[in-house]
Amino acid sequence: MKSFSSRIIDWQRKHGRHDLPWQGSSGPYLVWLSEIMLQQTQVATVIPYFQRFIERFPDVTTLAAASEDSVLEHWSGLGYYSRARNLHAAAQQIASRHEGKIPDTLDALQALPGIGRSTAAAIAALAFGRTEAILDGNVKRVLVRHAAIDGWPDEKKVEAALWQLAESRLPQQNIAAYTQGMMDLGATVCTRSSPACDACPVQVDCQARLQDRCASLPVPRPKKILPDKHVQMLLLLDRGELLLEKRPPSGIWGGLWSLPELPADIDAMDGCRMRYGHNPHARQALPALRHSFTHFRLHIQPVCLHLEPRVPSVASPGQQWLTPAAALKSALPVPVRTLIHQFV
Ligand code: SF4
């Protein structure tokens, strides 16, 4: 029987993906950008964002010179905005420390913001042909099933074993086809809920398949109960414009434009007067929303307040008044976008 890596490479050449916009001779910038966008996001979702992004930021130098607001705006809707902030910071480091050239070694890549071990290895392998092992979610699933590895794959000990396994299976040559093949196999054949084992190039010695454990591997994350947090979000309306506030640069939704928030137990009209100095004359409650983060659930009670015309009409620093349609062009968190959509 051919080696594991040879079977993956042969399969990738015949059945893998070859026409993604960052494949071919697109160069390390596009490979890097795609790897960052593909974290926690599927290919079909990424493609239109990727194309819009490279139209505006075609190379590292343009990205490094752009404002953070403009980068976030072009990321808006993809979520996980720390990826965009790190991408921008990394571009600035590449411009200042690497003469605008994306470094080609694992260590130098990993030293850049937002590039972990697997992403660095993917860039090194796909863009520079270096023999490095990747271990993203898709690859973990393939390896876990093929070797029937027990334990939650993100647990330290299990992950360390998976890195070893990933390294032991690397081919001597054709690293780019192998790396792409592992990603493609995980995304299109060895899928989470219904793997198409009959179409799999490594089915003959796949332990999960032989032991009839495909459905139970990988072992799921141990369940934890997420704490709940409750807030009110204010839609302050004055002459057809809404007030937006810029979030602090770090933390949840860092650097994005959001709606003013109040603790859940404060009367919204009083809070609006005290905290924002605006006088509401009418209120309208809107249906509540829930948004889940990895470490807590946010319950949002939106309240629309119609204001007496404000004086002065200019916004304070870190705030802006925009029509709902103009607000939707800004970098907004997903639930804020949903709320503002109701006013367009
Ligand atoms: Fe995944 Fe099935 Fe292939 Fe095993 S045989 S690696 S479970 S697709």
Side-chain angles (χ1 to χ4, degrees), residues 142 145-146 185 189-191 195-197 200-203 206 208-209 214:
V142 173
R145 283 180 174 155
H146 191 261
L185 191 68
V189 174
C190 193
T191 53
C197 300
C200 178
V202 292
Q203 58 176 284
C206 172
R209 182 172 164 272
C214 299

